[in-house]
Amino acid sequence: MLDFTFTEEQEMIRESVREFAQKKIAPIALEMEKTRQIPEDIIKGMADLGLIAPTVSPEYGGQGFDAVTAGIIAEELARADVTGSIPVFYLVQASWGHIFDKYGTEEAKREVLPNVTKGKWFLGIATTESDAGSDVAGTRTTIRKEGDHYVVNGEKMYISGVREAYTRGGGHITIAKQNPELGTRGMTLFYLPLQSKGIIPTYVDDLGREGISTGGFTIDNVVIPKHYIIGEENRGFYIVHEGYEYARGLISVICAGAGLQSLERGKKYLKERKAFGQPLAKFEALQFRLAEHYTKLSFLRLGAYWALWTYDQEAKGKATRFEVSKAIAMAKMFASEWSNAAIDEVMQWQGAFGYTRECPDQAAWRAIRSFAWAEGSKEIMRVIVSRELLGKEYISYK
Amino acid sequence: MSDYKGILVVGEIYDGKIRPVTFQLVSKARELADTLNTTLSVVLLGHNIGDMAREPIYYGADKVYVMDDQIFEPYVAEVYSRALTKFIGNLKPEIVLIPATHTGREYGPRISAALETGMTADCTDLVIKNGRFVQVRPAYGGNIMGEIITPNHRPQISTVRPNVFKTREPDRSRTGEIVQVKPEFDSMKVRTFIKEIVKTTVTGAKKLDEAKIIVSGGRGVGSKEGFEKLRELADLLGGAVGASRVAVDLGWMPKSAQVGQSGITVQPDLYIACGISGTIQHIVGMKDSKVIVAINKDPNAPIFNIADYGIVGDLHEVIPIFIEEIKKIKKK
Amino acid sequence: MNILVLVKQVPDTSDVKFDERGVMIREGVQSILNVFDQFALEEALRLRQKYGGEVSVMTLAPEQAKTAVQKCLALGADKAYHISDKAFGGSDTLATSYALSLAIRKAGNFDLIMAGNQATDGDTGHIGPQVAEWLGIPHVSYVEQVLSIENGRATVKSILEDGYRIVDVELPALFACLPPTNFEYTNPSMSGIIKAKSKPYTWWKADDIDGDKSKFGLNGSPTRVLKMYPPPKRSRGTVFTGDYHDAVKKIIEALMEKKVIE
Ligand SMILES: Cc1cc2nc3c(=O)[nH]c(=O)nc-3n(C[C@H](O)[C@H](O)[C@H](O)COP(=O)(O)OP(=O)(O)OC[C@H]3O[C@@H](n4cnc5c(N)ncnc54)[C@H](O)[C@@H]3O)c2cc1C
Ligand SMILES: Cc1cc2nc3c(=O)[nH]c(=O)nc-3n(C[C@H](O)[C@H](O)[C@H](O)COP(=O)(O)OP(=O)(O)OC[C@H]3O[C@@H](n4cnc5c(N)ncnc54)[C@H](O)[C@@H]3O)c2cc1C
Ligand SMILES: Cc1cc2nc3c(=O)[nH]c(=O)nc-3n(C[C@H](O)[C@H](O)[C@H](O)COP(=O)(O)OP(=O)(O)OC[C@H]3O[C@@H](n4cnc5c(N)ncnc54)[C@H](O)[C@@H]3O)c2cc1C
């Protein structure tokens, strides 16, 4: 059985999201470069449609969507928002909402998830620190149990949605060391509300995705209740990778969608712009570039949906953890690079206009570039695939 | 089928007057009647119609049937369609032309269903080809034209778009017959009741569909105030002011000024499009204007593809020059 | 309040193109729910919210129109009737409205039938008034809003070229609806799309509706489309790019020459 079609329902979902995204988001996307926030009516519109963390179960306000369906929404948002802000807002909450739903306690889910799906709160992920990114085991933040609650100390850096959670409410699924001597087996994942006493946010002025903040925060003796623990104590390292995989799958679709959409703009431009007495589209040198990028991104798109599908197969017992990790890493390995290359080409076609702030593709280029690091760098994707191919014993580091 | 003879135009009385579209239809129907060598009648429904009944004769009608009854004021669809169904059923014309106004397009289709005959909507041309009555109409939002025939059913009914046919010069010496008809109804039960009629067109402003010159504005006009300049030019030329849908949506002009697919169709001698890009939905409403002038700052605006004359430039600078130049000429 | 909404799937006319022979280029053209019908449906859903009851939708169309009907269910309609049979092929408006009126009779007693004022493809605006005539009920076209429903009567706002009328009609009645220009269409929500799947969806063939079969389809259609062709094009005229004064003068001269201004 090999069938590349989406279900009737998924097609309807795509159509509805596309209409919404093209009508409401596309026209104002570039404005976010200046306003530096996602307009409130768009967040409300997304919540009304059920687009915020749709991976969460219906009893907590979500739609119970699987990864492929979540991917369809991600693609349409990426095709509409050239700044990439809304796709990030979406993908982080869809992925980590799913993890919260799967591993969070009943009490925490009732408290947090409905506020997330309604668009009131923001739910993010915080693993990276100033001194530890790819190497999660290098985490310095600690969590310790004190009676019926926990106390957290440390800092997190390069985290998406800090301002959103700090001002709107909500927080980040955070990793910290509970038993440092146990290494990766001594790390715990928990929900950290950013409005907790003892959190001080900072912000970084990064290159793109202006509508959503990137920042960090210091954690000074922050007290969290027991029911905020996500999954079991000391299992954090494993659970966090599951979330990363979800996010990486969505990122891959986003890269494909944003790149293909940029090529659509480019195609139109090639047909309209004339040089040397004919439309640019008549020059074979440019035609071939279009054909190549389109082909690459179409394969990326297929690969990304396949990876998300593999993720869904695991839930049905039809794929192993390793198969999922590998599929997802393969999908993300070239995602930002290929997408950036295509967008770069489209900027090139547009001549000097391509180098102005008015050109939507420059915003897309800057946004997509972030995905070469975010939620796992492209090098780490190679590490993962190599590990799956050769076996753990060939990992080059300890 | 051969029992059916003659052409019937359903006239429309609106605000106590015969609507101009009636005379346009009569003028066109006269041509068709001459080609087919048949008679042309008009039927008028209303109350206190009086001498108005003569007017269609001046434009070419041979006979005017008058159904004068209180029940026709104000207009409601079920009354008109019932009265006309009876009347047409008795008269047996081969062709019936109904104005494609909001009212005509409301009661008209009911008649075709009641008589179980064919009806063609919103025609922009009517021709006789090999003795056959061919009705031409746009479909798919103006992207395509269709030629429709009703081969085996009579009467052949069409609604015809206002302003696509020119009115003939009225000949006041022309004579014809005026026949009073007592309206007949299968049922007298009227279930529709008009509570209120509200006019939103600015009083004093020229009616768009009757204007010979239209100065029309779109998003490029920039503001409600911007339209004042357009009005000044229109007044100077004795014309009316129109608008694109965007200008209406933005609240700069009333809905009644909207030209295009979801507005009204106009066919003036001169249409000056200012700051209108020229999308298909706008163009279908004005492309049959005799002369089109476009002012747009974008040299690639599609409006230039259909304009006879275009100026690439800022309308805020160009319009005052137009006003100034027209004034100069008027002085002379 | 038992409301039926008549809906039609249409090609998106904003990207429809025809070749020189008048054949539609289907490539890349999306099929959508006629926007007038979506407005009618949203108005019906609003009435349901206010007065209670049920909203059904009905289409007479080939099977593929199901996506448009499904969208109606996703937007909140309670159930659907889809009448589909080769026998209806080639129907003009008379044949379409006749078959629809039979199906409506069979589907039940409706207090209110809502339709679009026109479908953006055929664009005739006939179906609403004709269905009303076949059913022997009053109707109002160009309805922008149903203002109220009381004691078996509805009050609606109907748009005129130069204003509007407030019309009071005895129910059952049919309203052919026209969206206000700034109407914001709703997109089906994710949960609406999921719920749509389990809503009642009734398929009928020609044999399932009682009536005179000779009035169905092409045979029952008095009108014929003789031919189709792209509208005649106006050609590009003179476009001035230089000095405004000079351009205006030249244009005014030309206009006077053509006697369009005096
Ligand atoms: C815009 C943006 C938003 C982000 N949002 C979040 C967020 O919300 N939450 C969060 O926790 N983090 C977030 N991150 C951080 C992101 O996950 C990290 O940047 C990423 O994991 C890499 O870590 P690092 O930056 O510390 O780089 P390092 O780990 O220090 O790596 C530096 C370089 O070395 C390479 N490298 C590292 N190890 C290897 C190896 N074994 N083999 C080969 N190459 C290697 C890396 O690929 C990289 O190129 C975000 C990053 C960006 C840019
Ligand atoms: C079902 C449907 C029905 C529709 N019905 C209609 C209808 O009936 N009528 C209608 O008009 N539209 C209709 N539309 C909308 C139509 O598609 C267009 O959106 C609309 O016509 C565009 O209006 P516009 O030309 O004013 O605005 P735009 O397309 O935004 O164009 C504005 C133009 O102004 C120019 N401009 C800007 N500033 C200046 C300046 N200072 N000087 C000179 N030029 C300037 C710009 O270059 C541009 O070309 C319909 C659409 C749909 C989908
Ligand atoms: C170029 C062309 C021109 C044509 N001209 C004519 C003509 O002049 N006269 C004629 O009789 N036929 C004509 N037809 C045939 C006509 O288009 C079809 O009969 C069509 O199915 C119905 O007409 P419409 O699209 O105009 O609908 P409209 O009458 O404009 O539709 C109004 C409303 O009725 C409802 N409705 C319409 N169709 C259906 C349906 N199938 N199921 C459920 N609800 C529906 C919807 O609510 C819709 O909004 C023409 C066809 C073509 C291709």
Side-chain angles (χ1 to χ4, degrees):
Chain A
M1 187 190 72
L2 189 60
D3 183 353
F4 289 104
T5 53
F6 292 105
T7 65
E8 219 172 80
E9 216 169 277
Q10 286 171 330
E11 291 294 358
M12 277 182 81
I13 288 167
R14 183 184 293 286
E15 190 187 311
S16 182
V17 179
R18 173 176 299 169
E19 262 180 48
F20 167 78
Q22 292 301 328
K23 195 166 61 191
K24 299 279 180 195
I25 298 176
I28 56 93
L30 270 181
E31 283 169 26
M32 286 188 281
E33 276 190 6
K34 296 200 182 68
T35 61
R36 300 207 146 241
Q37 57 184 352
I38 301 170
E40 211 49 50
D41 65 313
I42 287 187
I43 293 180
K44 179 164 187 309
M46 287 178 71
D48 288 348
L49 282 183
L51 299 185
I52 303 181
T55 49
V56 164
S57 318
E59 56 263 51
Y60 311 113
Q63 314 297 333
F65 281 176
D66 61 13
V68 169
T69 312
I72 291 171
I73 299 172
E75 181 182 352
E76 292 308 322
L77 295 175
R79 283 175 178 268
D81 177 9
V82 287
T83 72
S85 316
I86 293 167
V88 169
F89 176 80
Y90 168 79
L91 92 90
V92 171
Q93 303 196 86
S95 311
W96 299 98
H98 161 74
I99 294 299
F100 205 122
D101 185 78
K102 190 166 171 190
Y103 295 103
T105 62
E106 181 65 22
E107 202 181 344
K109 287 200 273 190
R110 294 220 171 276
E111 181 189 329
V112 178
L113 293 179
N115 284 308
V116 170
T117 52
K118 277 189 202 123
K120 281 161 87 180
W121 290 5
F122 180 84
L123 177 67
I125 171 68
T127 61
T128 310
E129 300 179 357
S130 315
D131 292 331
S134 308
D135 182 11
V136 180
T139 297
R140 297 227 178 126
T141 301
T142 61
I143 179 166
R144 68 170 195 276
K145 200 167 182 172
E146 274 187 14
D148 64 347
H149 60 265
Y150 294 80
V151 178
V152 188
N153 276 289
E155 58 88 34
K156 292 287 167 183
M157 200 57 196
Y158 305 116
I159 306 301
S160 303
V162 170
R163 179 176 284 121
E164 285 70 11
Y166 188 69
T167 57
R168 303 177 73 86
H172 286 65
I173 293 181
T174 305
I175 201 161
K177 284 198 163 144
Q178 190 167 1
N179 295 296
E181 67 289 357
L182 296 178
T184 54
R185 286 159 206 264
M187 303 179 84
T188 296
L189 207 55
F190 54 93
Y191 169 65
L192 179 67
L194 285 207
Q195 291 179 344
S196 307
K197 192 166 164 287
I199 297 278
I200 300 171
T202 60
Y203 298 105
V204 298
D205 185 14
D206 59 4
L207 279 185
R209 353 196 294 195
E210 288 86 348
I212 187 158
S213 64
T214 310
F217 44 87
T218 53
I219 313 164
D220 182 16
N221 278 313
V222 173
V223 175
I224 60 156
K226 213 164 89 188
H227 70 270
Y228 280 178
I229 299 295
I230 300 217
E232 292 160 46
E233 290 177 20
N234 300 323
R235 293 275 308 151
F237 184 79
Y238 303 97
I239 298 170
V240 86
H241 279 96
E242 226 179 292
Y244 270 135
E245 273 154 18
Y246 212 104
R248 288 166 189 166
L250 295 181
I251 284 176
S252 308
V253 183
I254 287 170
C255 289
L260 286 165
Q261 196 66 25
S262 181
L263 286 178
E264 283 301 317
R265 286 190 292 272
K267 207 163 75 179
K268 201 162 158 256
Y269 190 86
L270 287 181
K271 285 184 178 172
E272 278 166 9
R273 173 78 183 189
K274 292 197 178 78
F276 299 95
Q278 60 181 10
L280 291 178
K282 284 261 184 183
F283 294 103
E284 225 173 33
L286 305 186
Q287 291 176 356
F288 283 13
R289 302 300 292 158
L290 171 67
E292 287 163 17
H293 287 297
Y294 181 82
T295 303
K296 266 189 173 170
L297 291 184
S298 297
F299 279 124
L300 171 62
R301 182 172 178 273
L302 268 180
Y305 278 114
W306 165 74
L308 288 168
W309 175 84
T310 309
Y311 190 103
D312 290 333
Q313 295 308 300
E314 188 194 355
K316 297 180 193 160
K318 290 183 183 169
T320 64
R321 200 81 277 286
F322 304 115
E323 283 168 328
V324 174
S325 299
K326 186 175 73 176
I328 294 275
M330 283 160 65
K332 190 173 186 266
M333 191 184 291
F334 294 105
S336 63
E337 226 170 280
W338 286 358
S339 184
N340 266 128
I343 299 169
D344 195 89
E345 183 76 32
V346 172
M347 286 164 68
Q348 184 66 19
W349 294 340
Q350 294 171 83
F353 176 72
Y355 195 60
T356 64
R357 292 256 170 206
E358 272 174 65
C359 175
D361 300 290
Q362 55 79 21
W365 191 96
R366 290 183 287 108
I368 294 299
R369 189 63 182 81
S370 73
F371 298 126
W373 301 284
E375 310 266 2
S377 75
K378 59 184 181 179
E379 288 77 19
I380 295 303
M381 299 306 113
R382 287 158 169 86
V383 170
I384 294 168
V385 175
S386 312
R387 182 188 69 202
E388 297 308 328
L389 293 176
L390 299 168
K392 268 197 172 115
E393 56 274 37
Y394 288 91
I395 294 181
S396 64
Y397 52 86
K398 268 270 160 264
Chain B
M1 251 177 56
S2 54
D3 294 350
Y4 290 82
K5 290 199 177 67
I7 301 179
L8 175 71
V9 169
V10 180
E12 196 167 302
I13 297 175
Y14 202 72
D15 295 341
K17 278 192 300 210
I18 296 182
R19 239 176 164 173
V21 60
T22 306
F23 303 129
Q24 295 160 12
L25 263 57
V26 171
S27 304
K28 180 65 190 179
R30 183 69 258 165
E31 277 175 35
L32 297 173
D34 290 344
T35 313
L36 292 170
N37 199 14
T38 187
T39 55
L40 167 59
S41 325
V42 172
V43 58
L44 290 173
L45 283 70
H47 190 45
N48 296 330
I49 296 174
D51 269 357
M52 253 183 339
R54 303 214 69 77
E55 292 177 31
I57 296 172
Y58 306 153
Y59 293 90
D62 300 316
K63 226 181 211 180
V64 179
Y65 294 96
V66 179
M67 280 198 244
D68 198 316
D69 196 307
Q70 225 173 331
I71 197 165
F72 296 123
E73 273 300 335
Y75 153 85
V76 293
E78 56 172 331
V79 173
Y80 273 58
S81 65
R82 253 184 273 159
L84 284 167
T85 300
K86 268 280 169 202
F87 174 73
I88 294 168
N90 291 334
L91 185 72
K92 296 194 178 359
E94 58 180 313
I95 295 172
V96 178
L97 305 183
I98 298 173
T101 53
H102 281 209
T103 44
R105 293 189 75 175
E106 183 177 54
Y107 67 75
R110 293 194 77 121
I111 301 173
S112 79
L115 296 175
E116 297 194 22
T117 187
M119 169 140 186
T120 305
D122 203 24
C123 299
T124 53
D125 203 3
L126 303 168
V127 286
I128 308 292
K129 267 193 202 164
N130 308 325
R132 242 180 358 192
F133 178 52
V134 178
Q135 305 151 91
V136 183
R137 62 174 301 254
Y140 292 90
N143 282 297
I144 192 80
M145 304 300 291
E147 292 190 356
I148 317 287
I149 53 167
T150 304
N152 305 316
H153 290 71
R154 293 294 177 269
Q156 311 161 77
I157 312 182
S158 337
T159 55
V160 185
R161 202 180 266 194
N163 300 317
V164 298
F165 296 120
K166 295 279 174 231
T167 311
R168 305 189 338 157
E169 277 304 314
D171 173 0
R172 300 202 172 263
S173 63
R174 228 177 149 271
T175 55
E177 201 182 337
I178 294 184
V179 186
Q180 300 289 333
V181 183
K182 195 177 148 34
E184 283 179 59
F185 300 97
D186 278 339
S187 153
M188 283 302 290
K189 191 162 183 271
V190 180
R191 296 156 294 185
T192 321
F193 169 75
I194 306 297
K195 277 189 158 166
E196 201 183 344
I197 298 177
V198 181
K199 303 282 178 174
T200 51
T201 28
V202 199
T203 41
K206 230 184 156 112
K207 273 209 180 122
L208 210 54
D209 55 353
E210 291 166 26
K212 284 215 174 346
I213 294 179
I214 294 174
V215 182
S216 199
R219 192 199 299 273
V221 174
S223 65
K224 201 169 182 151
E225 295 68 47
F227 268 92
E228 288 310 311
K229 276 281 165 206
L230 270 61
R231 186 166 305 284
E232 191 180 338
L233 178 59
D235 286 346
L236 210 52
L237 294 168
V241 182
S244 77
R245 172 156 160 182
V246 169
V248 171
D249 287 352
L250 290 168
W252 301 342
M253 287 293 282
K255 170 81 184 155
S256 52
Q258 184 181 317
V259 173
Q261 187 188 334
S262 50
I264 65 166
T265 304
V266 296
Q267 213 175 8
D269 289 345
L270 175 60
Y271 190 91
I272 307 181
C274 312
I276 293 177
S277 61
T279 57
I280 177 82
Q281 292 90 355
H282 187 79
I283 287 178
V284 291
M286 45 65 81
K287 67 172 174 5
D288 295 320
S289 308
K290 201 159 147 197
V291 178
I292 297 173
V293 174
I295 305 167
N296 198 303
K297 67 175 183 190
D298 174 7
N300 295 320
I303 190 80
F304 288 127
N305 295 333
I306 62 151
D308 300 276
Y309 303 99
I311 299 180
V312 177
D314 184 349
L315 67 94
H316 302 292
E317 293 176 39
V318 178
I319 306 249
I321 299 175
F322 247 105
I323 293 172
E324 184 188 316
E325 291 295 327
I326 300 277
K327 275 187 181 158
K328 271 191 211 159
I329 293 166
K330 293 248 159 175
K331 268 195 194 133
K332 277 187 205 159
Chain C
M1 235 333 98
N2 218 349
I3 309 177
L4 175 71
V5 185
L6 298 175
V7 299
K8 187 181 183 195
Q9 188 182 47
V10 297
D12 187 350
T13 47
S14 55
D15 50 35
V16 177
K17 296 223 163 41
F18 291 85
D19 69 13
E20 289 308 309
R21 292 167 301 143
V23 180
M24 192 167 106
I25 303 165
R26 297 207 168 255
E27 163 95 29
V29 177
Q30 285 222 10
S31 290
I32 58 170
L33 173 63
N34 182 32
V35 292
F36 292 77
D37 302 352
Q38 180 165 348
F39 169 68
L41 172 67
E42 293 197 33
E43 193 67 2
L45 295 171
R46 199 177 56 79
L47 293 173
R48 181 185 66 186
Q49 194 167 24
K50 204 161 156 195
Y51 302 105
E54 202 177 58
V55 173
S56 310
V57 293
M58 179 182 284
T59 196
L60 180 126
E63 249 173 68
Q64 59 265 31
K66 188 177 173 205
T67 49
V69 179
Q70 207 75 30
K71 178 170 182 183
C72 297
L73 294 174
L75 284 166
D78 300 295
K79 54 179 171 182
Y81 298 93
H82 192 148
I83 301 105
S84 190
D85 200 310
K86 280 204 187 73
F88 298 117
S91 294
D92 72 356
T93 61
L94 187 74
T96 305
S97 61
Y98 176 66
L100 279 172
S101 70
L102 297 175
I104 294 170
R105 281 221 169 90
K106 176 167 170 135
N109 289 318
F110 296 102
D111 303 299
L112 202 59
I113 301 173
M114 315 270 279
N117 196 69
Q118 69 224 52
T120 54
D121 55 349
D123 240 346
T124 64
H126 288 175
I127 301 294
Q130 286 174 335
V131 165
E133 183 66 26
W134 287 113
L135 294 174
I137 59 173
H139 93 282
V140 184
S141 292
Y142 300 94
V143 170
E144 194 182 74
Q145 200 188 350
V146 178
L147 299 166
S148 67
I149 295 176
E150 257 169 295
N151 307 323
R153 299 186 73 88
T155 306
V156 301
K157 177 178 177 187
S158 158
I159 302 301
L160 296 168
E161 288 94 335
D162 56 357
Y164 61 87
R165 305 180 297 162
I166 303 295
V167 190
D168 174 66
V169 197
E170 185 183 305
L171 299 182
L174 183 146
F175 300 133
C177 305
L178 176 78
T181 51
N182 54 358
F183 184 71
E184 289 260 356
Y185 292 93
T186 309
N187 289 113
S189 70
M190 299 302 109
S191 56
I193 292 171
I194 295 163
K195 280 188 208 131
K197 212 168 50 173
S198 48
K199 289 181 177 174
Y201 200 106
T202 308
W203 290 93
W204 281 335
K205 296 214 152 281
D207 283 339
D208 296 324
I209 56 176
D210 294 323
D212 180 352
K213 300 223 158 43
S214 71
K215 292 187 194 170
F216 289 172
L218 193 63
N219 288 333
S221 297
T223 65
R224 290 280 180 279
V225 179
L226 203 59
K227 69 174 199 189
M228 306 220 286
Y229 53 90
K233 285 203 186 98
R234 282 183 88 106
S235 54
R236 195 181 169 92
T238 322
V239 178
F240 298 92
T241 50
D243 177 55
Y244 295 159
H245 278 275
D246 186 49
V248 169
K249 271 189 198 145
K250 283 200 177 120
I251 290 175
I252 290 177
E253 266 168 37
L255 293 178
M256 290 179 71
E257 206 166 292
K258 291 194 173 166
K259 295 200 166 33
V260 295
I261 59 174
E262 281 126 38

